[in-house]
Amino acid sequence: MILANITTPLLGLVDTAVMGHMDSSAMLAGASIGTLILTQIYWVCGFLRMSSTGLSAQAKGDPKQPGLLSAKVLWQTGAVALAAGLLIVALQVPVLQAGLALASSGAEVASYTREYFNIRVWGAPAAMLNMALTGWLVGQQKTRHVLWIQVAGNLLNAALDILFVYGLDMSVGGVALASVLAEYTMMLSGAVCALKLTTGWRPQADWFNRAAQKILLKLNSDMLIRNLALQACIAFLTIQGARIGETAAAVNAILMQFFVLIALGLDGVAYAVEALIGEAAGAKDKERLGGHVKRGLFWSSVFALVYAALFYLAGDFIIASLTGIAALQTAAQAYLPLMVLLPLVAHWCFFFDGVFVGLTRSDAMRNTMLVSAAFVFFPVWWVCQSQGNVALWYAMLAFLLARGITLGFVFWRRDSSL
């Protein structure tokens, strides 16, 4: 899963590299805005992957009918994902208009944004299904399948980028079309793998009745609220940094890459925890569940210490790799002590998120996120705001720590006895 996570950003990196060599910077800016609009929607819809992973893992661990229950989860979560993707397509006009209004870009950039978005949005059904399929495969502990699907999709995207842009002179539209085709290829590959694993089980009408929908709706709505609260904190950091000034906004963009780096490793551990905890919960095996929690926490702590050491020893190098502007390097280097603390503080919430996804305890994830945002992130920023941009990062670190503490408290008080 760590290797699969590393390949995920490549889709955007290849697109950026190709567009960065076009004739006009407006093309890159327009496509970047179009990508950002869809990425934010997709990120909020990440509950599709999380719910699919937890339910799939619990079905795999069921001692009586693991095959039947796994097939049921696959079809149920796939149906919800497809509906979400089609809804995004249906609402594409107001979504694009809202994105353009928030971006407040010039006419030329807006034109390229429309060109890119109007093509790329048709990949939404595939993108949503990819989340559900990836989650289901992770829950079944078929992470090698996920890795190869991601690698194949990104290689195809790169090849089509070159063909459409340089071979067929399709400009921004070619980059968008390449991404759409890559998304559908990954979706079809994932579907083939999943259907092979559920051979012999056909969908049944009662899998889609009101009772079944109610369970999924509750789980997904909790996850959605949780994601929106998290996104609100990240968006506030970005917007407030921009209000402080251009330098602060640029520094925050650099520092967010440290967050991306730790996510590559810590998410890999969390995904493994999701699958193993869910399987143990499905089997109602308390001893195995406790063992997975202890081993998962050990490896999460190891990764946190490695990241902290890396940022301490190579933080200057990482910043220099991200920007060649001396003033920005100097400004960002002042935040390195906080970046060293970042993995040590954040790995707890990454880990316990994985535990609660495996347990499908979406209510706890929702409640602890809301508490951490409302009573930690914003109050800490409010108290420290006179210190400028650094106050935002004090708030973010406190927020991440609060999430880990509250999730851990809920688990040890209630779920550790399962």
Side-chain angles (χ1 to χ4, degrees):
M1 282 313 307
I2 293 173
L3 292 174
N5 284 345
I6 291 172
T7 68
T8 301
L10 293 180
L11 192 68
L13 288 174
V14 171
D15 290 350
T16 301
V18 170
M19 289 182 294
H21 289 83
M22 291 181 181
D23 296 334
S24 171
S25 60
M27 294 182 179
L28 176 57
S32 297
I33 293 171
T35 300
L36 180 63
I37 295 170
L38 287 171
T39 299
Q40 293 303 303
I41 296 173
Y42 293 172
W43 193 93
V44 169
C45 291
F47 62 83
L48 292 168
R49 188 208 62 78
M50 291 186 284
S51 61
S52 181
T53 299
L55 293 170
S56 172
Q58 290 186 11
K60 184 179 187 299
D62 186 85
K64 296 179 180 179
Q65 293 181 309
L68 174 63
L69 292 177
S70 295
K72 180 180 179 180
V73 170
L74 174 64
W75 284 94
Q76 287 178 329
T77 56
V80 173
L82 180 60
L86 293 174
L87 181 62
I88 293 171
V89 172
L91 297 175
Q92 61 180 284
V93 174
V95 167
L96 176 58
Q97 290 175 343
L100 289 173
L102 291 172
S104 300
S105 55
E108 185 180 8
V109 172
S111 175
Y112 286 120
T113 299
R114 291 190 185 91
E115 181 182 355
Y116 181 90
F117 180 90
N118 288 335
I119 296 174
R120 181 72 188 275
V121 72
W122 290 97
M128 296 296 102
L129 276 167
N130 278 331
M131 291 184 194
L133 289 167
T134 296
W136 189 87
L137 289 169
V138 170
Q140 297 291 308
Q141 301 178 24
K142 301 297 181 181
T143 50
R144 186 170 296 179
H145 291 66
V146 176
L147 170 61
W148 289 117
I149 289 169
Q150 294 282 358
V151 169
N154 284 308
L155 288 176
L156 177 64
N157 178 71
L160 291 177
D161 270 342
I162 295 170
L163 173 63
F164 292 158
V165 174
Y166 298 117
L168 302 178
D169 196 25
M170 294 177 65
S171 184
V172 171
V175 175
L177 180 59
S179 296
V180 170
L181 293 176
E183 286 169 335
Y184 275 100
T185 299
M186 288 189 284
M187 182 268 290
L188 291 172
S189 300
V192 169
C193 291
L195 291 174
K196 282 185 177 179
L197 292 170
T198 57
T199 300
W201 301 105
R202 295 182 178 180
Q204 301 173 18
D206 62 348
W207 292 359
F208 307 98
N209 61 23
R210 181 172 295 182
Q213 291 174 353
K214 185 176 180 180
I215 295 172
L216 273 176
L217 180 62
K218 174 64 170 61
L219 183 60
N220 287 330
S221 60
D222 285 344
M223 295 285 198
L224 174 60
I225 294 170
R226 176 253 185 206
N227 287 358
L228 288 172
L230 176 57
Q231 187 63 21
C233 294
I234 295 174
F236 182 84
L237 186 150
T238 303
I239 294 170
Q240 192 64 28
R243 288 176 177 173
I244 293 172
E246 181 180 332
T247 299
V251 166
N252 289 345
I254 293 169
L255 297 180
M256 285 303 294
Q257 299 311 304
F258 284 83
F259 198 97
V260 171
L261 285 172
I262 69 169
L264 295 176
L266 297 181
D267 264 343
V269 175
Y271 282 14
V273 169
E274 292 170 10
L276 295 171
I277 291 290
E279 183 183 24
K284 294 180 173 56
D285 189 331
K286 299 178 185 178
E287 184 177 351
R288 186 153 44 120
L289 189 150
H292 289 322
V293 170
K294 292 175 183 177
R295 281 186 290 273
L297 188 55
F298 169 79
W299 283 108
S300 181
S301 301
V302 168
F303 272 90
L305 290 169
V306 170
Y307 273 121
L310 174 65
F311 293 165
Y312 178 78
L313 297 172
D316 290 336
F317 173 77
I318 294 172
I319 291 172
S321 300
L322 294 170
T323 179
I325 302 173
L328 279 183
Q329 291 178 1
T330 302
Q333 285 165 357
Y335 292 79
L336 280 179
L338 296 180
M339 295 302 102
V340 173
L341 285 175
L342 178 63
L344 301 176
V345 166
H347 86 96
W348 301 94
C349 65
F350 276 86
F351 169 74
F352 278 111
D353 271 346
V355 171
F356 279 92
V357 166
L359 295 173
T360 59
R361 283 291 314 282
S362 58
D363 57 336
M365 296 180 70
R366 177 200 63 204
N367 294 341
T368 55
M369 182 68 77
L370 291 173
V371 167
S372 299
F375 297 104
V376 178
F377 179 85
F378 290 105
V380 168
W381 170 79
W382 179 260
V383 170
C384 301
Q385 62 178 309
S386 61
Q387 298 184 47
N389 191 61
V390 72
L392 293 167
W393 288 97
Y394 289 155
M396 179 57 70
L397 289 174
F399 168 68
L400 294 170
L401 182 60
R403 286 180 55 211
I405 291 173
T406 53
L407 284 168
F409 175 77
V410 172
F411 175 77
W412 292 115
R413 184 174 181 180
R414 176 175 175 179
D415 295 292
S416 60
S417 62
L418 286 174

